[in-house]
Amino acid sequence: MKVLLIGKNGQLGAEINKQSKDRGYEIKAFGREELDITDSEKVKLEIEKFNPKVVINASAYHVVPDCEIYPDLAFLVNTIAVKNIAEACEKLNIPLVTYSTDYVFDGKKGKPYVENDLPTPVQTYGVSKAAGEYMALAYNKRAIVIRSSGVYGGKEGSRSKKGNFALNILKQAEKENVIEVAKEQIVNPTYALDLAKASLDLLEHKNISGIYHLANEGYCSWAQFASEIMKLSGSKTKIIPVDRGGLAGTLRRPLFSALKNTRAAKLGVKLPSWQDAIKRYLLTLK
């Protein structure tokens, strides 16, 4: 397979890049410095030059509080850029794979969301990602939108988020004996390594398109996830579950945004449990 990857330096992009090479794919991968996703002419030119079998967009503007401060940038990266890539791919009959989030939902369903549930975002980040989904599907008839949840990976995590949930909890636990963590938000924390593998497994299937949910199986609160990290790492720090009503300051977050994988599962593409995933991730940090 010949793959053009945008966003090679992110937690997910780095894994897609590595695993594509391990599978023997011919891959051309770009970081933000090499290819600005908002430069539609440059992106189009690179796609035309390389003429891949698939374009994978693993880049996003995903620091949720920043999206409230800079909504123009959030929509430029998460919506307009996705539309432009989708159009460029459509002209060359190339499928676009782009990633979305559990934050396209308001979390009021009370159980895991399936692929055809209607997006109902409650903050700018979720709105911009939901709009990006519509753009991908409207402008590229072979588009694949992969939603995931609580992604973490790499030894340093996300550059823009200055780490990830697991790394930040471990760092905090070195200094504090007690940490308060939200108990009301229910998610599927997802290991980037597993998400990349499942994504590439999905692409091995011919003639697929539409929305897929790929997240580690099962779900938990952020407090439960933090407690599992403390237990596995041998830390004595105590996690205190707190109910913040889904608010971080004035920012609203979905309460129960776990995702259920139904479509990919029918093709035999599933991810391991979140407990198994975090255990393997913590081993890579030792």
Side-chain angles (χ1 to χ4, degrees), residues 64-108:
V64 180
D66 287 0
C67 290
E68 298 299 318
I69 304 166
Y70 309 108
D72 291 359
L73 187 54
F75 280 96
L76 186 60
V77 175
N78 296 339
T79 308
I80 304 302
V82 174
K83 171 189 178 286
N84 292 335
I85 300 169
E87 277 187 309
C89 290
E90 180 66 19
K91 282 175 185 162
L92 298 168
N93 196 29
I94 298 167
L96 166 66
V97 177
T98 194
Y99 287 85
S100 191
T101 170
D102 55 328
Y103 273 47
V104 300
F105 298 114
D106 61 14
K108 292 178 182 175

Side-chain angles (χ1 to χ4, degrees), residues 27-189:
I27 183 162
K28 189 164 191 182
F30 297 92
R32 193 186 309 153
E33 296 78 13
E34 298 148 321
L35 185 62
D36 179 355
I37 190 177
T38 65
D39 185 343
S40 60
E41 286 307 312
K42 179 92 189 295
V43 172
K44 185 180 164 191
L45 187 65
E46 291 295 349
I47 294 169
E48 287 172 351
K49 272 195 323 196
F50 189 57
N51 193 27
K53 286 286 182 196
V54 63
V55 171
I56 301 177
N57 172 35
S59 69
Y61 191 65
H62 60 98
V63 181
V64 180
D66 287 0
C67 290
E68 298 299 318
I69 304 166
Y70 309 108
D72 291 359
L73 187 54
F75 280 96
L76 186 60
V77 175
N78 296 339
T79 308
I80 304 302
V82 174
K83 171 189 178 286
N84 292 335
I85 300 169
E87 277 187 309
C89 290
E90 180 66 19
K91 282 175 185 162
L92 298 168
N93 196 29
I94 298 167
L96 166 66
V97 177
T98 194
Y99 287 85
S100 191
T101 170
D102 55 328
Y103 273 47
V104 300
F105 298 114
D106 61 14
K108 292 178 182 175
K109 184 181 175 183
K111 58 183 180 180
Y113 286 91
V114 294
E115 291 84 353
N116 62 358
D117 280 327
L118 194 67
T120 48
V122 294
Q123 78 297 104
T124 302
Y125 171 64
V127 175
S128 70
K129 292 299 283 185
E133 292 184 1
Y134 288 123
M135 290 295 188
L137 298 168
Y139 287 90
N140 186 297
K141 60 179 176 288
R142 297 172 67 193
I144 297 166
V145 172
I146 296 173
R147 291 187 189 129
S148 196
S149 167
V151 178
Y152 63 89
K155 290 191 183 292
E156 293 173 10
S158 162
R159 287 190 300 175
S160 55
K161 290 185 177 180
K162 297 180 175 61
N164 60 43
F165 183 87
L167 291 173
N168 294 343
I169 282 287
L170 288 168
K171 199 180 292 180
Q172 217 176 329
E174 289 173 5
K175 304 172 195 163
E176 299 169 34
N177 296 323
V178 175
I179 305 172
E180 291 188 349
V181 183
K183 71 175 183 181
E184 80 282 9
Q185 283 178 255
I186 308 298
V187 294
N188 336 64

Side-chain angles (χ1 to χ4, degrees), residues 225-235 237 239 275 282:
F225 189 46
S227 295
E228 187 73 8
I229 293 167
M230 293 298 94
K231 184 181 86 178
L232 292 170
S233 66
S235 172
T237 296
I239 300 297
Q275 295 97 328
L282 292 179

Side-chain angles (χ1 to χ4, degrees), residues 208-243:
I208 60 165
S209 62
I211 296 169
Y212 292 84
H213 286 178
L214 296 178
N216 280 117
E217 288 294 315
Y219 50 83
C220 61
S221 69
W222 285 117
Q224 287 171 310
F225 189 46
S227 295
E228 187 73 8
I229 293 167
M230 293 298 94
K231 184 181 86 178
L232 292 170
S233 66
S235 172
K236 298 288 187 285
T237 296
K238 188 173 172 59
I239 300 297
I240 306 293
V242 293
D243 188 342

